[in-house]
């Protein structure tokens, strides 16, 4: 009878949520979005048998961005929330298969990142990078990182037509760069074009040491003026199929940019 009870107890342990503890531990890998991949780490533990907690750390440009994990497990699946330092909440689903974790991260019910992780043999540490800088604790929508170009075209009744384009580069560390500009004109007897850089607005932003970040669907600038840190809301943003629409929060002026041009 004792052997039968022992067998039954072991069977119940296998069938119970404690089986999900195979999620526990340190996992290393990467998260990938439309703008490329970033090294990442999962540090997973439980509060109760079928609950999951811990952190996800994403390494970008010498900085670390940390998200708090809270969720539930059922067999080889886990789901829950990722909360960034500024309070922004994402949702995740993780699947454990063949000793690897596949992860999908969503915001507003849209998948923005996919992760792939393997069991770690040693913890990833940003301290091994001598160029690492102190993280600023700001969330940056990874879909905004990259080069964006605004282009305008015009024509006249006299047969002249032309256009101009300006580009900005939003970096993963929150800095901004001048992506260059170009213009052209053509008419019945003449034509010409030019290209260059020297965007004065971007130069001023860089000189001020400003960093961009996002909260909800708002693009902000964090600036340091005379030792006082101020967050300034700049534009509402909307991204779809490689197009970025910016709407100035003060004037309502709209600017349309396209990715990677």
């Amino acid at each position: 009878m004792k052997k039968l009870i022992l067998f039954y107890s072991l069977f119940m342990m296998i069938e119970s949520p404690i089986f999900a503890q195979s999620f526990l531990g340190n996992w290393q890998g990467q998260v990938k979005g439309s703008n490329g991949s970033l090294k990442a780490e999962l540090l997973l533990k439980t509060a109760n048998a079928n609950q999951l907690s811990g952190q996800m750390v994403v390494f970008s440009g010498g900085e670390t961005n940390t998200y708090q994990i809270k969720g539930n497990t059922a067999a080889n699946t886990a789901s829950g929330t990722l909360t960034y330092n500024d309070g922004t909440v994402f949702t995740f689903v993780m699947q454990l298969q063949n000793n690897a974790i596949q992860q999908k991260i969503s915001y507003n019910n849209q998948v923005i990142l996919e992760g792939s992780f393997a069991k770690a043999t040693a913890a990833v540490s940003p301290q091994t990078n001598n160029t690492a800088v102190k993280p600023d604790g700001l969330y940056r929508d990874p879909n905004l990182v990259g080069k964006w170009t605004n282009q305008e075209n015009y024509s006249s009744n006299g047969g002249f037509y032309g256009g101009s384009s300006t580009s900005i580069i939003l970096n993963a560390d929150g800095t901004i760069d001048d992506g260059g500009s170009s213009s052209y004109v053509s008419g019945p007897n003449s034509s010409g074009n030019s290209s260059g850089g020297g965007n004065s607005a971007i130069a001023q932003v860089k000189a001020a040491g400003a960093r961009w970040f996002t909260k909800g669907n708002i693009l902000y600038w964090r600036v340091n003026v005379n030792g006082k840190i101020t967050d300034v809301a700049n534009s509402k943003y909307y991204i779809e199929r490689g197009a970025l629409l910016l709407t100035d929060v003060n004037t309502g002026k709209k600017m349309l940019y396209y990715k990677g041009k």
Side-chain angles (χ1 to χ4, degrees):
M1 177 62 74
K2 289 183 178 179
K3 290 184 178 180
L4 181 60
I5 293 174
L6 178 61
F7 175 78
Y8 179 76
S9 299
L10 289 172
F11 178 78
M12 291 302 293
M13 289 177 65
I14 293 173
E15 290 296 313
S16 71
I18 200 170
F19 180 72
Q21 287 188 1
S22 53
F23 274 102
L24 303 188
N26 184 308
W27 302 80
Q28 295 175 1
Q30 61 182 7
V31 290
K32 182 166 58 177
S34 59
N35 298 305
S37 301
L38 295 173
K39 184 181 291 186
E41 181 180 32
L42 294 174
L43 304 171
L44 301 179
K45 56 184 180 179
T46 62
N48 294 313
N50 64 340
Q51 292 183 349
L52 193 67
S53 63
Q55 293 182 335
M56 181 178 79
V57 182
V58 179
F59 304 94
S60 174
E63 297 186 0
T64 59
N65 295 285
T66 303
Y67 303 77
Q68 300 302 318
I69 295 174
K70 287 187 178 181
N72 296 292
T73 61
N76 293 334
T77 301
S79 60
T81 59
L82 291 164
T83 304
Y84 192 61
N85 296 338
D86 65 359
T88 304
V89 178
F90 305 83
T91 58
F92 73 86
V93 175
M94 293 191 296
Q95 187 77 30
L96 179 62
Q97 188 173 10
N98 297 328
N99 240 3
I101 291 178
Q102 301 299 321
Q103 178 191 51
K104 290 187 177 182
I105 301 171
S106 301
Y107 184 69
N108 286 339
N109 297 317
Q110 181 179 357
V111 176
I112 60 171
L113 292 171
E114 295 190 8
S116 179
F117 299 87
K119 207 63 175 285
T121 55
V124 175
S125 174
Q127 302 300 323
T128 59
N129 185 351
N130 293 330
T131 63
V133 297
K134 185 177 180 180
D136 56 18
L138 300 175
Y139 173 72
R140 298 179 177 93
D141 187 338
N143 292 302
L144 283 173
V145 176
K147 181 178 179 180
W148 297 92
T149 300
N150 170 261
Q151 187 165 350
E152 297 181 354
N153 299 299
Y154 60 86
S155 61
S156 69
N157 293 332
F160 286 92
Y161 63 91
S164 63
S165 67
T166 56
S167 298
I168 59 174
I169 300 173
L170 297 176
N171 299 309
D173 64 357
T175 57
I176 186 173
D177 286 315
D178 186 353
S181 63
S182 65
S183 61
Y184 73 95
V185 63
S186 182
N189 300 310
S190 63
S191 63
N193 60 73
S194 63
S195 61
N199 188 310
S200 60
I202 293 178
Q204 291 175 11
V205 169
K206 289 176 68 69
R211 295 289 183 99
W212 68 272
F213 68 98
T214 56
K215 184 181 294 186
N217 67 330
I218 305 294
L219 175 67
Y220 286 81
W221 287 105
R222 172 163 288 188
V223 295
N224 189 330
V225 180
N226 297 325
K228 182 180 179 181
I229 295 176
T230 304
D231 293 340
V232 181
N234 180 271
S235 306
K236 294 181 180 179
Y237 72 92
Y238 177 76
I239 302 175
E240 185 175 352
R241 297 180 181 178
L244 167 65
L245 178 64
L246 294 179
T247 304
D248 190 288
V249 296
N250 296 312
T251 66
K253 181 181 178 180
K254 299 181 183 297
M255 295 283 286
L256 183 62
Y257 291 82
Y258 291 93
K259 189 71 175 286
K261 293 190 176 183

